[in-house]
Amino acid sequence: MTVLEVLQATTAYLKKRNVENPRLNAEHLMAHALGRKRIELYLDFERALTETELAPLRGLVKRRSEGEPLQHLLGTVEFCGLTFLCDKRALVPRPETEQLVERVETRIENRELRIVDVGTGSGVIALSLAAKMPEAQVLGVDVSEDALALAQENAARLNLSERVQFLKGRLLENIEDAFDLIVANLPYVSIQDRHTLSLEVLHDPEVALFAGAQGDELVRELIDQAPFRLRPGGLLALEIGLGQSEVLLSALAEKNYRDISSENDYNGVTRFLFARYG
Ligand SMILES: C[S@@+](CC[C@H](N)C(=O)[O-])C[C@H]1O[C@@H](n2cnc3c(N)ncnc32)[C@H](O)[C@@H]1O
C-alpha cells in the first residue's frame, strides 16, 4: 500500500472508532512511525510502504483507537510555540491553557517578575512564561513528584533550568517568598463528574483532574492563600472549570482583591479569572 492508501485506511479505521479528527490523528501517527514531519507525507503520497514501516504504525493506531491520547503516543506536545515532553506523569496540556499564558502576557508590564505557577504539571505555563519573559524568575509548584520530574526534563530541554525552579508542595504552603504573578491551572473537575470524562481524559493522572465534591475547592483555597504571597498590586491569574466563574468571582471580591475580571475561552466558556491584590 502507498502512503496515501494507508493514510486513508487509518483515517477510516479511527473514524469508525469515534476518534475525533481522525485524518489529523492518522497523519501525526504515520509521521511519527516513519520518523518524518507531517508535511513531508504529502510529498511522499505515492511511495509504497514496506512491512517494516507498517508494523509500528499498526500498534500506535490500535492504541489510539482504544483511547490513548495522541500526545502520549507521540511523546511530545506543542504549547505556545515550544515542544514539551508529554507522558502519563502529568496532564496533557490543553489549548485553553495556551490562552491563559497569552492573556497573562498582555497584563504584564514590568518583565523582571517573580512568578509562581501553582500545579505546574509538565511545566508548560512556567516554562512558556519564562521563554516569553527573559528577565523573569519562575517557580513551579506541584504535589506530584512524577509531574515535577517531567517538568524538570522539559526545563532542561528548553535550556530554562537556570531561571525556572521546581518545588514539591501543596498550593503555596511551602513558600515564603512574595511574587508579582501567581498563575494556576489547578484541578477543577468535581469527583461526581468522573463519568462524563472521555477515555482520553481518563489517561491524565487523577491528581491533575479532580479537586473535590464541587470541583472548585483547590482554586478557592488558592484565592485564600494568594494575598499572603502577592507583592503589592500583584496579579492572580486562574484557569477555572465550566460554571465556576460566578462563585469564584464572588470569592475574589469577598477577599478584597481589586481589578477583578474574567475572560472566555475560544468556545465561549468563562475560563479565566484575573485579579490584583494590594
Ligand atoms: C490541571 S493540572 C495542570 C497542569 C499544568 N499546569 C497544565 O496547565 O497543563 C493540575 C496540576 O496540579 C497539581 N496539583 C493537584 N493538587 C495540588 C495541590 N494541592 N497543590 C499543588 N499542586 C496540585 C497536579 O499534580 C497537576 O499537575
Side-chain angles (χ1 to χ4, degrees), residues 108-130:
I108 299 300
E109 281 142 30
N110 168 13
R111 296 187 154 228
E112 281 176 48
L113 300 176
R114 294 223 57 202
I115 299 173
V116 59
D117 169 23
V118 188
T120 196
S122 56
V124 282
I125 300 176
L127 294 165
S128 300
L129 287 171

Side-chain angles (χ1 to χ4, degrees), residues 111-169:
R111 296 187 154 228
E112 281 176 48
L113 300 176
R114 294 223 57 202
I115 299 173
V116 59
D117 169 23
V118 188
T120 196
S122 56
V124 282
I125 300 176
L127 294 165
S128 300
L129 287 171
K132 284 172 186 288
M133 302 174 194
E135 290 153 52
Q137 290 290 331
V138 188
L139 177 66
V141 181
D142 208 291
V143 280
S144 159
E145 277 177 16
D146 276 350
L148 290 169
L150 180 61
Q152 305 265 23
E153 287 169 32
N154 276 320
R157 273 171 58 104
L158 295 166
N159 284 325
L160 289 168
S161 300
E162 275 193 13
R163 277 192 304 118
V164 186
Q165 267 79 54
F166 294 100
L167 179 77
K168 186 174 176 189

Side-chain angles (χ1 to χ4, degrees), residues 20-141:
E20 268 183 49
N21 303 316
R23 170 73 185 220
L24 190 65
N25 274 261
E27 289 183 7
H28 274 296
L29 292 177
M30 183 183 269
H32 183 65
L34 298 178
R36 309 289 296 272
K37 292 208 169 81
R38 192 160 67 87
I39 195 79
E40 290 172 349
L41 300 179
Y42 284 77
L43 308 172
D44 233 9
F45 269 168
E46 299 310 321
R47 186 170 73 81
L49 288 170
T50 64
E51 187 48 41
T52 323
E53 286 175 312
L54 279 173
L57 179 63
R58 285 202 194 94
L60 290 170
V61 171
K62 181 160 183 297
R63 286 164 65 190
R64 184 69 194 95
S65 74
E66 290 165 356
E68 210 165 319
L70 178 66
Q71 298 85 346
H72 284 186
L73 297 172
L74 302 180
T76 55
V77 62
E78 298 296 309
F79 187 95
C80 287
L82 300 172
T83 303
F84 290 85
L85 297 175
C86 180
D87 60 37
K88 62 181 178 7
R89 287 177 288 175
L91 186 100
V92 173
R94 307 292 204 267
E96 299 89 273
T97 310
E98 289 181 294
Q99 284 175 256
L100 174 66
V101 171
E102 285 156 16
R103 278 152 208 219
V104 162
E105 210 193 348
T106 65
R107 287 172 163 77
I108 299 300
E109 281 142 30
N110 168 13
R111 296 187 154 228
E112 281 176 48
L113 300 176
R114 294 223 57 202
I115 299 173
V116 59
D117 169 23
V118 188
T120 196
S122 56
V124 282
I125 300 176
L127 294 165
S128 300
L129 287 171
K132 284 172 186 288
M133 302 174 194
E135 290 153 52
Q137 290 290 331
V138 188
L139 177 66
V141 181

